[in-house]
Amino acid sequence: MDRGPAALPVTVHDHVLTLVHDWTPMRFSSFLNHATNRLWAGVVFALITVLGLALLSACADGGDVEVSAHDASWTLESSPPTAATAEPEAETEATTPSESSEDEDTSEETEQGRAGGSTPGTALAMLDELAVKGRAPKTGYDADLFSWRSDADHNGCDTRNDVLRRDLRDITLKAGSKGCVVIAGDLSDQYKGETYAFDRSPNNIDIDHIVARSNAWQTGAATFDEDTLKDLGNDPLNLLAVSSSLNRQKGDGDAATWLPPAKSYRCEYVSRQIAIKHKYDLWVVKAEKTAMKRVLGACNNQPAFTKNVAWPDPGEGDNVTTAKEQPSSKKKTNSGSGPKSSESGTGSSGSVFYKNCTAARDAGAAPVRRGDPGYASHLDRDGDGVGCE
């Protein structure tokens, strides 16, 4: 008997009829509402999910934009300063006065450069052209090698009186000296910052070598020939009438060890020293250059020294008059007893004898005045009663 196939349709049919019979309108409406609610819930969930993903994506995109913007701003803001920094460096290189300056002075040169010290034509620019070396030994030095006080320019007057005729005011020349010998006048002392009368006895005025001869010797002059040493020793640029006491106080000091007490003259003083060293191709030592730069740093672009310092011709000067020199009282140092000057001393007072002015200076006796122990005519070349001035 084959009853399986016939029974299955009857069973399904009966079940469907039961469902249809049981599915009342009320139940269908409830089902529909439930389905609708579930559908809306799904839609809302799907929208929330989509919106959430969109927001997350937007945040992620926004973060990338900010980073990119930051990277871009860093690139744009960092690069220009680098270029801007390079431009001033290029300008500094263009205005640096000289590459001969020592590495140790770089910081100082930078400070001076900010003050405009490298401007062409300034004393600082000329200073930077000088070599910087250590001080050479004093071996072989003798002040007389510079032939100081000789008539180097062949104008008929010795150099000392050339300086006095140039630097003193209201001068009186000695009658019969061919317009050379100064016996009176007033000096506006650049080192002191004071004006006073010239007094020959005792001599209150010396002639200073602005770059001392021994300093010149130790910074290049030791290799000079006789004529060049004579030129340097009698150069109008290197000579100045000043207080005798200050000249002795200075000695052979350079700018690192001595400066004029009158601060108002220091700028010109250093500028003149630089001009002398530049003219004769002398060098400066490190401490000397540092001191010079320190002085010039307060001088507002001190110009290189170019003033006319030439000697006036014989008989010329400021408000010149001529008069006979009044004889000065002389003290006798030998009254017949005690040692007398030796013949080799050529007029030396007492038993002291100096072969030359170097010996007198080494003994601390210079200048030697008539009547002083050791005075001799060979030390007093112009016969003014004062030797080794």
Short mmCIF file of all heavy atoms in Angstrom, two decimals, residues 129-177:
data_model
loop_
_atom_site.label_atom_id
_atom_site.label_comp_id
_atom_site.label_asym_id
_atom_site.label_seq_id
_atom_site.Cartn_x
_atom_site.Cartn_y
_atom_site.Cartn_z
N GLU A 129 94.40 95.22 9.03
CA GLU A 129 95.37 94.91 7.98
C GLU A 129 96.75 94.58 8.57
O GLU A 129 97.63 94.12 7.84
CB GLU A 129 95.48 96.09 7.02
CG GLU A 129 94.21 96.34 6.21
CD GLU A 129 94.32 97.56 5.32
OE1 GLU A 129 95.43 98.13 5.21
OE2 GLU A 129 93.30 97.97 4.73
N LEU A 130 96.93 94.83 9.86
CA LEU A 130 98.21 94.54 10.49
C LEU A 130 98.30 93.07 10.90
O LEU A 130 97.32 92.48 11.33
CB LEU A 130 98.40 95.41 11.74
CG LEU A 130 98.37 96.94 11.54
CD1 LEU A 130 98.60 97.64 12.88
CD2 LEU A 130 99.39 97.38 10.52
N ALA A 131 99.49 92.51 10.75
CA ALA A 131 99.71 91.13 11.19
C ALA A 131 99.71 91.08 12.72
O ALA A 131 100.06 92.06 13.38
CB ALA A 131 101.03 90.62 10.64
N VAL A 132 99.31 89.95 13.25
CA VAL A 132 99.34 89.72 14.70
C VAL A 132 100.35 88.61 14.97
O VAL A 132 100.20 87.49 14.49
CB VAL A 132 97.95 89.31 15.23
CG1 VAL A 132 98.01 89.06 16.73
CG2 VAL A 132 96.92 90.37 14.91
N LYS A 133 101.39 88.96 15.72
CA LYS A 133 102.45 87.99 16.04
C LYS A 133 102.89 88.19 17.49
O LYS A 133 102.50 89.17 18.14
CB LYS A 133 103.67 88.19 15.13
CG LYS A 133 103.40 88.04 13.64
CD LYS A 133 104.70 88.25 12.85
CE LYS A 133 104.47 88.19 11.36
NZ LYS A 133 105.73 88.41 10.59
N GLY A 134 103.72 87.30 17.95
CA GLY A 134 104.30 87.46 19.27
C GLY A 134 105.43 88.49 19.24
O GLY A 134 105.98 88.79 18.17
N ARG A 135 105.77 89.02 20.41
CA ARG A 135 106.85 90.00 20.48
C ARG A 135 108.20 89.32 20.26
O ARG A 135 108.50 88.30 20.90
CB ARG A 135 106.82 90.69 21.84
CG ARG A 135 107.67 91.95 21.91
CD ARG A 135 107.62 92.55 23.30
NE ARG A 135 106.25 92.84 23.70
CZ ARG A 135 105.59 93.94 23.35
NH1 ARG A 135 106.17 94.84 22.58
NH2 ARG A 135 104.34 94.14 23.76
N ALA A 136 109.00 89.88 19.38
CA ALA A 136 110.33 89.33 19.11
C ALA A 136 111.27 89.73 20.24
O ALA A 136 111.01 90.67 20.99
CB ALA A 136 110.84 89.87 17.78
N PRO A 137 112.40 89.02 20.39
CA PRO A 137 113.36 89.37 21.44
C PRO A 137 113.98 90.75 21.19
O PRO A 137 113.99 91.25 20.06
CB PRO A 137 114.40 88.26 21.35
CG PRO A 137 114.26 87.70 19.98
CD PRO A 137 112.81 87.82 19.62
N LYS A 138 114.51 91.34 22.25
CA LYS A 138 115.10 92.67 22.16
C LYS A 138 116.58 92.61 21.79
O LYS A 138 117.28 93.63 21.84
CB LYS A 138 114.92 93.38 23.51
CG LYS A 138 114.90 94.88 23.44
CD LYS A 138 114.54 95.46 24.81
CE LYS A 138 114.53 96.98 24.78
NZ LYS A 138 114.14 97.56 26.09
N THR A 139 117.04 91.46 21.41
CA THR A 139 118.44 91.25 21.08
C THR A 139 118.93 92.26 20.04
O THR A 139 118.30 92.43 19.00
CB THR A 139 118.64 89.82 20.53
OG1 THR A 139 118.10 88.88 21.46
CG2 THR A 139 120.11 89.54 20.29
N GLY A 140 120.05 92.91 20.36
CA GLY A 140 120.66 93.84 19.41
C GLY A 140 120.06 95.23 19.44
O GLY A 140 120.52 96.11 18.70
N TYR A 141 119.07 95.48 20.29
CA TYR A 141 118.43 96.80 20.31
C TYR A 141 119.34 97.87 20.87
O TYR A 141 120.01 97.68 21.89
CB TYR A 141 117.14 96.75 21.14
CG TYR A 141 116.56 98.13 21.38
CD1 TYR A 141 115.94 98.82 20.34
CD2 TYR A 141 116.65 98.74 22.63
CE1 TYR A 141 115.42 100.10 20.54
CE2 TYR A 141 116.13 100.01 22.85
CZ TYR A 141 115.51 100.68 21.79
OH TYR A 141 115.01 101.94 22.00
N ASP A 142 119.35 99.02 20.21
CA ASP A 142 120.06 100.20 20.69
C ASP A 142 119.28 101.40 20.17
O ASP A 142 119.10 101.54 18.95
CB ASP A 142 121.50 100.21 20.17
CG ASP A 142 122.33 101.37 20.75
OD1 ASP A 142 121.72 102.37 21.21
OD2 ASP A 142 123.57 101.28 20.73
N ALA A 143 118.80 102.25 21.07
CA ALA A 143 118.00 103.40 20.66
C ALA A 143 118.74 104.29 19.67
O ALA A 143 118.12 104.92 18.80
CB ALA A 143 117.58 104.20 21.89
N ASP A 144 120.07 104.34 19.77
CA ASP A 144 120.84 105.19 18.88
C ASP A 144 120.81 104.72 17.44
O ASP A 144 121.15 105.48 16.52
CB ASP A 144 122.30 105.27 19.36
CG ASP A 144 122.43 106.09 20.64
OD1 ASP A 144 121.47 106.82 20.98
OD2 ASP A 144 123.46 105.98 21.32
N LEU A 145 120.41 103.48 17.22
CA LEU A 145 120.30 102.98 15.84
C LEU A 145 119.27 103.77 15.04
O LEU A 145 119.32 103.79 13.80
CB LEU A 145 119.93 101.49 15.85
CG LEU A 145 120.99 100.52 16.39
CD1 LEU A 145 120.39 99.12 16.54
CD2 LEU A 145 122.20 100.50 15.46
N PHE A 146 118.33 104.41 15.74
CA PHE A 146 117.28 105.16 15.06
C PHE A 146 117.70 106.61 14.72
O PHE A 146 116.93 107.36 14.14
CB PHE A 146 116.02 105.20 15.92
CG PHE A 146 115.35 103.85 16.05
CD1 PHE A 146 115.82 102.92 16.98
CD2 PHE A 146 114.27 103.51 15.26
CE1 PHE A 146 115.20 101.68 17.12
CE2 PHE A 146 113.65 102.27 15.39
CZ PHE A 146 114.12 101.36 16.31
N SER A 147 118.93 106.96 15.12
CA SER A 147 119.49 108.29 14.81
C SER A 147 118.53 109.41 15.17
O SER A 147 118.39 110.39 14.43
CB SER A 147 119.86 108.37 13.32
OG SER A 147 120.79 107.38 12.98
N TRP A 148 117.89 109.28 16.30
CA TRP A 148 116.94 110.28 16.77
C TRP A 148 117.64 111.62 16.99
O TRP A 148 118.76 111.66 17.49
CB TRP A 148 116.28 109.78 18.04
CG TRP A 148 115.74 110.81 18.99
CD1 TRP A 148 116.06 110.93 20.31
CD2 TRP A 148 114.79 111.84 18.72
NE1 TRP A 148 115.38 111.96 20.88
CE2 TRP A 148 114.59 112.56 19.92
CE3 TRP A 148 114.11 112.25 17.58
CZ2 TRP A 148 113.73 113.64 20.02
CZ3 TRP A 148 113.26 113.33 17.67
CH2 TRP A 148 113.06 114.02 18.88
N ARG A 149 116.96 112.69 16.59
CA ARG A 149 117.40 114.07 16.72
C ARG A 149 118.35 114.50 15.63
O ARG A 149 118.84 115.64 15.62
CB ARG A 149 118.04 114.34 18.10
CG ARG A 149 117.05 114.20 19.23
CD ARG A 149 117.62 114.67 20.53
NE ARG A 149 117.96 116.10 20.48
CZ ARG A 149 118.22 116.83 21.56
NH1 ARG A 149 118.19 116.27 22.75
NH2 ARG A 149 118.52 118.11 21.44
N SER A 150 118.64 113.63 14.68
CA SER A 150 119.46 114.07 13.55
C SER A 150 118.60 114.90 12.61
O SER A 150 117.36 114.90 12.69
CB SER A 150 120.03 112.85 12.82
OG SER A 150 118.98 112.05 12.31
N ASP A 151 119.24 115.59 11.72
CA ASP A 151 118.51 116.39 10.73
C ASP A 151 118.13 115.47 9.57
O ASP A 151 118.68 115.55 8.47
CB ASP A 151 119.39 117.55 10.25
CG ASP A 151 118.68 118.45 9.24
OD1 ASP A 151 117.44 118.32 9.10
OD2 ASP A 151 119.36 119.26 8.59
N ALA A 152 117.17 114.60 9.85
CA ALA A 152 116.82 113.57 8.88
C ALA A 152 116.23 114.15 7.59
O ALA A 152 116.39 113.56 6.52
CB ALA A 152 115.85 112.58 9.51
N ASP A 153 115.53 115.28 7.70
CA ASP A 153 114.91 115.85 6.50
C ASP A 153 115.78 116.93 5.85
O ASP A 153 115.36 117.56 4.87
CB ASP A 153 113.54 116.44 6.85
CG ASP A 153 113.63 117.56 7.88
OD1 ASP A 153 114.74 117.76 8.45
OD2 ASP A 153 112.62 118.22 8.13
N HIS A 154 116.97 117.13 6.38
CA HIS A 154 117.95 118.06 5.81
C HIS A 154 117.40 119.48 5.67
O HIS A 154 117.66 120.17 4.68
CB HIS A 154 118.41 117.56 4.43
CG HIS A 154 118.91 116.14 4.45
ND1 HIS A 154 120.07 115.75 5.10
CD2 HIS A 154 118.37 115.00 3.91
CE1 HIS A 154 120.24 114.44 4.96
NE2 HIS A 154 119.23 113.97 4.25
N ASN A 155 116.64 119.93 6.68
CA ASN A 155 116.15 121.31 6.64
C ASN A 155 117.01 122.25 7.47
O ASN A 155 116.69 123.43 7.63
CB ASN A 155 114.69 121.38 7.12
CG ASN A 155 114.55 121.07 8.61
OD1 ASN A 155 115.50 120.62 9.27
ND2 ASN A 155 113.36 121.28 9.15
N GLY A 156 118.12 121.73 8.00
CA GLY A 156 119.04 122.55 8.76
C GLY A 156 118.76 122.57 10.25
O GLY A 156 119.51 123.19 11.01
N CYS A 157 117.68 121.92 10.70
CA CYS A 157 117.31 121.89 12.12
C CYS A 157 117.24 120.44 12.60
O CYS A 157 116.83 119.55 11.86
CB CYS A 157 115.97 122.56 12.36
SG CYS A 157 115.88 124.29 11.81
N ASP A 158 117.63 120.23 13.87
CA ASP A 158 117.51 118.87 14.41
C ASP A 158 116.04 118.55 14.67
O ASP A 158 115.19 119.44 14.80
CB ASP A 158 118.32 118.73 15.69
CG ASP A 158 117.76 119.56 16.83
OD1 ASP A 158 118.15 120.74 16.92
OD2 ASP A 158 116.92 119.04 17.58
N THR A 159 115.75 117.28 14.74
CA THR A 159 114.35 116.84 14.82
C THR A 159 113.64 117.35 16.06
O THR A 159 112.46 117.71 16.01
CB THR A 159 114.28 115.29 14.76
OG1 THR A 159 114.93 114.84 13.58
CG2 THR A 159 112.84 114.83 14.73
N ARG A 160 114.34 117.39 17.20
CA ARG A 160 113.68 117.84 18.43
C ARG A 160 113.11 119.25 18.25
O ARG A 160 111.95 119.51 18.61
CB ARG A 160 114.65 117.81 19.61
CG ARG A 160 114.06 118.44 20.87
CD ARG A 160 115.01 118.39 22.05
NE ARG A 160 114.52 119.22 23.15
CZ ARG A 160 113.55 118.86 23.99
NH1 ARG A 160 112.96 117.69 23.87
NH2 ARG A 160 113.16 119.68 24.95
N ASN A 161 113.89 120.15 17.73
CA ASN A 161 113.40 121.51 17.55
C ASN A 161 112.36 121.61 16.44
O ASN A 161 111.49 122.48 16.47
CB ASN A 161 114.57 122.46 17.29
CG ASN A 161 115.28 122.85 18.58
OD1 ASN A 161 114.73 123.53 19.44
ND2 ASN A 161 116.52 122.37 18.73
N ASP A 162 112.42 120.71 15.47
CA ASP A 162 111.34 120.63 14.47
C ASP A 162 110.01 120.34 15.16
O ASP A 162 108.98 120.95 14.86
CB ASP A 162 111.64 119.53 13.45
CG ASP A 162 112.68 119.95 12.41
OD1 ASP A 162 112.89 121.17 12.24
OD2 ASP A 162 113.27 119.05 11.77
N VAL A 163 110.04 119.37 16.09
CA VAL A 163 108.81 119.00 16.81
C VAL A 163 108.31 120.19 17.64
O VAL A 163 107.11 120.50 17.64
CB VAL A 163 109.05 117.78 17.73
CG1 VAL A 163 107.75 117.41 18.45
CG2 VAL A 163 109.55 116.59 16.93
N LEU A 164 109.23 120.86 18.34
CA LEU A 164 108.82 121.98 19.19
C LEU A 164 108.22 123.11 18.35
O LEU A 164 107.23 123.72 18.75
CB LEU A 164 110.01 122.48 20.00
CG LEU A 164 110.57 121.50 21.05
CD1 LEU A 164 111.82 122.09 21.70
CD2 LEU A 164 109.51 121.17 22.10
N ARG A 165 108.81 123.40 17.21
CA ARG A 165 108.25 124.47 16.37
C ARG A 165 106.87 124.09 15.84
O ARG A 165 106.02 124.96 15.64
CB ARG A 165 109.19 124.77 15.18
CG ARG A 165 110.48 125.46 15.57
CD ARG A 165 111.16 126.14 14.37
NE ARG A 165 111.04 125.42 13.12
CZ ARG A 165 111.79 124.37 12.78
NH1 ARG A 165 112.73 123.94 13.62
NH2 ARG A 165 111.62 123.76 11.63
N ARG A 166 106.65 122.83 15.65
CA ARG A 166 105.35 122.39 15.15
C ARG A 166 104.29 122.33 16.25
O ARG A 166 103.14 122.75 16.04
CB ARG A 166 105.47 121.00 14.51
CG ARG A 166 104.16 120.44 13.92
CD ARG A 166 104.25 118.96 13.65
NE ARG A 166 104.40 118.18 14.89
CZ ARG A 166 104.59 116.86 14.91
NH1 ARG A 166 104.68 116.18 13.77
NH2 ARG A 166 104.71 116.23 16.06
N ASP A 167 104.65 121.82 17.44
CA ASP A 167 103.65 121.51 18.46
C ASP A 167 103.40 122.63 19.46
O ASP A 167 102.35 122.66 20.12
CB ASP A 167 104.04 120.24 19.22
CG ASP A 167 103.98 119.00 18.33
OD1 ASP A 167 103.47 119.12 17.20
OD2 ASP A 167 104.42 117.92 18.77
N LEU A 168 104.36 123.54 19.63
CA LEU A 168 104.16 124.64 20.58
C LEU A 168 103.45 125.82 19.91
O LEU A 168 103.44 125.94 18.68
CB LEU A 168 105.51 125.12 21.14
CG LEU A 168 105.97 124.42 22.44
CD1 LEU A 168 106.11 122.93 22.24
CD2 LEU A 168 107.31 125.03 22.92
N ARG A 169 102.87 126.65 20.74
CA ARG A 169 102.20 127.86 20.27
C ARG A 169 102.88 129.08 20.88
O ARG A 169 103.46 129.00 21.96
CB ARG A 169 100.71 127.83 20.66
CG ARG A 169 99.95 126.66 20.05
CD ARG A 169 99.84 126.81 18.53
NE ARG A 169 99.23 125.64 17.91
CZ ARG A 169 99.91 124.64 17.35
NH1 ARG A 169 101.24 124.66 17.37
NH2 ARG A 169 99.28 123.64 16.79
N ASP A 170 102.78 130.22 20.18
CA ASP A 170 103.41 131.46 20.65
C ASP A 170 104.88 131.22 20.97
O ASP A 170 105.35 131.48 22.08
CB ASP A 170 102.69 131.99 21.90
CG ASP A 170 101.24 132.36 21.60
OD1 ASP A 170 100.98 132.89 20.50
OD2 ASP A 170 100.37 132.11 22.46
N ILE A 171 105.60 130.72 19.99
CA ILE A 171 106.97 130.29 20.23
C ILE A 171 107.97 131.42 20.07
O ILE A 171 107.75 132.39 19.33
CB ILE A 171 107.35 129.11 19.30
CG1 ILE A 171 107.38 129.55 17.84
CG2 ILE A 171 106.44 127.93 19.50
CD1 ILE A 171 107.86 128.47 16.90
N THR A 172 109.06 131.29 20.79
CA THR A 172 110.19 132.20 20.68
C THR A 172 111.40 131.39 20.22
O THR A 172 111.74 130.37 20.83
CB THR A 172 110.50 132.86 22.04
OG1 THR A 172 109.35 133.58 22.48
CG2 THR A 172 111.68 133.81 21.90
N LEU A 173 112.00 131.85 19.12
CA LEU A 173 113.17 131.17 18.59
C LEU A 173 114.43 131.88 19.05
O LEU A 173 114.45 133.10 19.24
CB LEU A 173 113.12 131.15 17.06
CG LEU A 173 111.93 130.41 16.42
CD1 LEU A 173 111.97 130.55 14.90
CD2 LEU A 173 111.93 128.94 16.82
N LYS A 174 115.46 131.11 19.22
CA LYS A 174 116.75 131.65 19.66
C LYS A 174 117.40 132.41 18.51
O LYS A 174 117.57 131.88 17.41
CB LYS A 174 117.65 130.51 20.13
CG LYS A 174 119.02 130.95 20.61
CD LYS A 174 119.83 129.74 21.05
CE LYS A 174 121.23 130.15 21.50
NZ LYS A 174 122.03 128.98 21.92
N ALA A 175 117.76 133.64 18.77
CA ALA A 175 118.43 134.45 17.74
C ALA A 175 119.76 133.81 17.37
O ALA A 175 120.48 133.29 18.22
CB ALA A 175 118.65 135.87 18.27
N GLY A 176 120.05 133.80 16.07
CA GLY A 176 121.31 133.22 15.61
C GLY A 176 121.28 131.73 15.42
O GLY A 176 122.31 131.11 15.12
N SER A 177 120.13 131.10 15.60
CA SER A 177 120.04 129.63 15.44
C SER A 177 119.45 129.25 14.08
O SER A 177 119.06 128.11 13.88
CB SER A 177 119.20 129.02 16.56
OG SER A 177 117.84 129.43 16.45
#
